[in-house]
Amino acid sequence: MSKPKSRRKRGNRKGTLTVVAVLAVITLVTVFVAVKSSPQGGPPDFSMVPYTGEGQAAKELTFGELLGNGEPVVLNFWAALCPPCRQEMPGFQRIHDELGEEFTLVGVDIGPFIGLGSHAQAREFLAEFEIDYPTYYALSDSPVRDFEVRGMPTTIFFDRNGTIAGKHTGYLPEDRLRKEIQTLLADGE
């Protein structure tokens, strides 16, 4: 009968070790998320430079400067040589033309960091497709890591307070984007 008791003790040790390991992982994840967040405790922040749009006169700004101003924000990571990006951006432009006073649309080129285009190719693409909503290029690859961009394009939705309200990876049809924006706009009323 002593064998079953020792097995139970080993089982309890294994259970204790499992709990300790799970707690350690949770702690590490919590620390990692806290480090990735902006100093204000919001979503990760990064620096960017404008290609087009209202901020064109600015030399450099941070994404965090656009959040929490009372308007929903749609952040779209794109690249000049990304076929789904090229397909969806004209729809983004149409929605911006129609509803742009009610929300902030920000397109951020990460092509140079993922092998899908240069800044020159991005400028050519924007001119060819007549994209004039605010578009920028990231100054580092930090948004790729911090926002966990796993596919292209990636669109992240922020509510009026600057909190992430949703994320979509891959081509985003115009009608679905419109619904997402209308939901964000209705949530603040």
Side-chain angles (χ1 to χ4, degrees):
M1 286 203 187
S2 63
K3 287 185 180 181
K5 288 182 183 177
S6 64
R7 285 185 187 158
R8 276 190 220 137
K9 287 183 181 178
R10 283 188 198 138
N12 288 340
R13 283 185 209 148
K14 287 180 183 177
T16 302
L17 289 175
T18 301
V19 169
V20 169
V22 167
L23 290 174
V25 168
I26 290 171
T27 301
L28 287 173
V29 167
T30 302
V31 168
F32 180 69
V33 168
V35 168
K36 283 185 8 176
S37 296
S38 71
Q40 301 82 15
D45 203 2
F46 61 94
S47 295
M48 55 190 186
V49 174
Y51 280 131
T52 62
E54 297 167 15
Q56 199 164 10
K59 295 232 185 258
E60 179 182 324
L61 71 149
T62 64
F63 176 68
E65 293 175 54
L66 303 176
L67 290 175
N69 63 5
E71 287 185 356
V73 175
V74 176
L75 171 62
N76 176 252
F77 292 110
W78 62 277
L81 300 182
C82 161
C85 302
R86 296 172 74 87
Q87 185 180 6
E88 77 178 3
M89 286 177 74
F92 280 49
Q93 181 66 54
R94 285 189 290 276
I95 291 173
H96 180 265
D97 290 345
E98 180 184 331
L99 300 171
E101 297 296 319
E102 300 177 52
F103 77 103
T104 300
L105 176 58
V106 180
V108 178
D109 175 21
I110 57 172
F113 302 110
I114 59 172
L116 287 175
S118 66
H119 296 308
Q121 289 168 317
R123 284 184 186 93
E124 289 171 15
F125 163 71
L126 294 170
E128 176 185 346
F129 285 82
E130 299 178 349
I131 303 298
D132 66 4
Y133 63 82
T135 54
Y136 303 83
Y137 60 89
L139 291 177
S140 75
D141 66 347
S142 66
V144 176
R145 289 188 318 274
D146 294 346
F147 284 98
E148 298 177 356
V149 176
R150 303 282 188 244
M152 289 299 290
T154 294
T155 305
I156 303 172
F157 301 91
F158 297 85
D159 65 17
R160 294 175 189 273
N161 298 317
T163 303
I164 294 176
K167 180 177 179 179
H168 180 86
T169 300
Y171 170 74
L172 185 58
E174 185 175 346
D175 61 335
R176 175 131 183 244
L177 174 62
R178 186 178 303 279
K179 286 179 189 175
E180 294 288 343
I181 292 169
Q182 289 170 341
T183 298
L184 287 172
L185 292 170
D187 285 346
E189 294 178 350

